[in-house]
Structure formats: structure tokens, C-alpha cells
Amino acid sequence: MAESRMALPVTGLYAVVVCLCCGFLERQMWLPMVLLALNSFLMLELNNSNALIRVYSRMVSCSYIVLAVMASFLLSSVRDGAFQMFFVTFFLLLFRAYQDKAAVGLVFYAFMMFGMASTLFAQLLYFLPVVWILLFTNIMAGSVRTFAASLLGLLMPYWCIGGYCLYTGDIDSLVARVSELWQFAPLFDFESLGLHRQLSFCIVTLIAIVGMVHFHRNSYKDKIRTRMLFEIFTTMYLCALVFIVLQPQHFDFLFGMMLICSSPLIGHFISLTSTRLTNIAFIVFLLAVVGVTVFNMLWMY
């Protein structure tokens, strides 16, 4: 299944069926479906352009699609879909700058995508120090020029939005957006999430941890570049996980980050393990995800 060329088309058909069962056609929610398809394509490109799995496999994009439709409470939000699109594009551009300290243009555009994502979710800026460290340590493209390019790219969306707000005289909306950085809710307030989000969170966290353990036990079989990139996915996933535990009020955006960062780890696990135990684990995980998908789908409909 992991190396089948039919895996992605079948998974895509499965996503369409879930969207139809959630009433997307009746509600004419075309844009969320387009964003889901676009994000799935970007995840496919992220896998292909970086050879994340050392065999032919579409499990990275398939894992993302299955988990994304499981979280049907995110599918109906255009804002969440757009945020994920910007975040995946950030990874695509940043990874192309690997070991190239002169890749000023790529770093600029990568951080511009990061800045655009932060205009939708201001708290993403808290991840910025971690991203800068990864730029130097894992991407190995850190220099004075690329650091300056990252700052300019990050500020570009805010310059554009600020200019528009000045033109329309609506400065308060920009100030309100930035002031969200200092708005904190009670810690560990998981009761506000509801059972559907809690179940989805537990499933993704469990599978992602299995994927992390598998990769770090077998990472010696992959190239150094692949190991560096997977360390980025792991680091960003763990940061998002800690953020959700501390501030569950931002669950939807952070969970979207977790889906993107965990999909390569899950895809790597599914594609490169074939023992009896891991095959059983795959079947159990698949049944659990489908079960939660049906549960969330019925609730949404």
C-alpha cells in the first residue's frame, strides 16, 4: 500500500467523499475544498523536491490528507486552510536554501510566507527564534545577509497591511492584530476544546510520537540532508505541542501545524516498516483515524 501508485488517487477520492458527507456541496464550501487540494499538492511537492522518503511513496501527502479530513472542524475554515498553505510554502522555500548562505532570495520569500501566516495567527511569531536557530543549524544557510533577508521578508506582509490600513484609516485593526501576542488564556484549559478536538489531538500525537521514535532509530539509513529536515519537522511539532498544552485556545492553528509536521514522520514510518508489529500498528492507527473521522463528520453534519 505504501509504495502503490494508486495510494494517492484513492486517498484523494476518500477525501472528496468525506467532504461531501460533511455537506460541503450543500453549503457551497468550494474554497475550503480548493485549499485542501492545494495543501495536499504542496505536501506532495514537499516530499518530491526533498526526497523525504528514500523509496517511491506518496505516504507523506496521503498521511496529510487522511489526518486533515479527520479534523473536519478545520476543513470548514478558510483561514485555517490559508494558514496551512502559507506554512507549507514556507518549508518548501526554506528547504531549497539548504547549505546555501547566498540564498538571500529564497530565505526572503520563505520568511515572507512565514510573515503572511503570522498575519492570520499572530502567535506564530513566538516560533521565530526557533526558526532562526534552525536556519543556522539545520538548513545551514545562516549568514548576515540571509538573516537580514529573513527580517525583511517577515516584515513585508506587515508593511503591505500597514500601508492599506493607513490608506483606509483603519489603524485599529492592525494594532488589534499585533496586540494578540499579549493575550493569554488560562493554562491547560482543555475543557474548552470539546471531545472532537481532544480525540483528534490524542490520535495525531500518538501516531507522531511513533513516527519520531521510528525515524530516530533508523535515521542512520537516510542521508544527512534528510535527517536535518526531519529534525526540523520534529522540533516544530514539539514546539506546537507544548504551545497547545499551555494555550489550548489557539488549538486550530497549532493543530494545523502539527498535521503538516507530523505527516512526513508518519509517512516515513508507514513506508519503511514491514514487521508484523508495525503492520498491526498501521492497521490499528488506520481504523482509529477512520473512526474519529466518522465521529467528527457526524458531529459537523
Side-chain angles (χ1 to χ4, degrees):
M1 184 182 294
E3 299 182 34
S4 172
R5 294 184 179 272
M6 292 299 297
L8 185 59
V10 171
T11 307
L13 179 61
Y14 165 77
V16 172
V17 171
V18 172
C19 289
L20 293 177
C21 292
C22 288
F24 277 40
L25 186 61
E26 298 173 5
R27 303 172 191 177
Q28 296 186 348
M29 299 171 65
W30 304 110
L31 188 53
M33 292 185 67
V34 170
L35 286 172
L36 175 61
L38 179 58
N39 292 339
S40 302
F41 172 77
L42 290 173
M43 290 299 295
L44 176 65
E45 181 61 25
L46 184 68
N47 177 37
N48 291 344
S49 60
N50 296 285
L52 296 178
I53 301 177
R54 57 182 180 271
V55 297
Y56 176 87
S57 178
R58 294 288 182 261
M59 280 298 107
V60 172
S61 49
C62 290
S63 299
Y64 171 78
I65 293 172
V66 171
L67 295 178
V69 297
M70 179 191 72
S72 54
F73 46 83
L74 297 182
L75 289 180
S76 59
S77 173
V78 174
R79 191 175 174 183
D80 289 328
F83 171 79
Q84 293 180 39
M85 178 186 67
F86 291 137
F87 195 68
V88 178
T89 308
F90 162 71
F91 278 144
L92 271 170
L93 294 170
L94 184 67
F95 291 174
R96 292 183 180 179
Y98 180 76
Q99 286 189 333
D100 187 359
K101 296 185 178 182
V104 177
L106 285 172
V107 173
F108 172 84
Y109 288 116
F111 278 84
M112 186 175 72
M113 292 295 107
F114 191 90
M116 292 177 70
S118 70
T119 61
L120 300 173
F121 175 52
Q123 285 75 12
L124 183 65
L125 294 175
Y126 287 125
F127 292 82
L128 193 56
V130 176
V131 173
W132 273 328
I133 292 174
L134 294 174
L135 175 66
F136 280 81
T137 59
N138 287 66
I139 300 298
M140 293 184 284
S143 66
V144 175
R145 294 180 62 196
T146 54
F147 181 74
S150 69
L151 281 174
L152 293 175
L154 182 70
L155 293 174
M156 177 62 71
Y158 291 94
W159 286 340
C160 296
I161 294 173
Y164 176 78
C165 290
L166 285 174
Y167 176 76
T168 58
D170 186 20
I171 301 298
D172 292 339
S173 61
L174 180 62
V175 175
R177 177 63 62 187
V178 176
S179 65
E180 291 180 4
L181 288 170
W182 295 274
Q183 296 177 5
F184 297 99
L187 300 177
F188 316 113
D189 186 20
F190 283 99
E191 294 182 0
S192 62
L193 296 181
L195 182 59
H196 302 273
R197 285 173 169 79
Q198 292 176 9
L199 280 176
S200 302
F201 173 76
C202 291
I203 289 292
V204 173
T205 301
L206 176 62
I207 302 176
I209 290 175
V210 172
M212 290 179 199
V213 173
H214 159 76
F215 179 79
H216 288 288
R217 288 186 61 189
N218 298 275
S219 59
Y220 66 92
K221 300 177 183 178
D222 289 292
K223 296 179 180 178
I224 294 177
R225 184 179 187 274
T226 304
R227 280 181 265 172
M228 291 292 189
L229 299 186
F230 270 84
E231 285 181 5
I232 294 176
F233 292 131
T234 301
T235 302
M236 295 299 289
Y237 180 89
L238 293 175
C239 288
L241 177 63
V242 171
F243 206 141
I244 281 184
V245 172
L246 295 177
Q247 292 290 294
Q249 61 167 330
H250 303 303
F251 179 86
D252 287 0
F253 288 110
L254 293 169
F255 193 66
M257 291 178 60
M258 291 174 65
L259 294 182
I260 292 168
C261 295
S262 63
S263 295
L265 295 164
I266 298 169
H268 194 278
F269 167 74
I270 295 173
S271 302
L272 300 175
T273 55
S274 58
T275 65
R276 179 179 176 82
L277 179 61
T278 55
N279 288 341
I280 294 174
F282 167 72
I283 295 172
V284 172
F285 290 153
L286 184 60
L287 292 176
V289 169
V290 172
V292 175
T293 301
V294 173
F295 180 64
N296 291 341
M297 184 174 60
L298 293 175
W299 165 77
M300 181 178 178
Y301 192 74

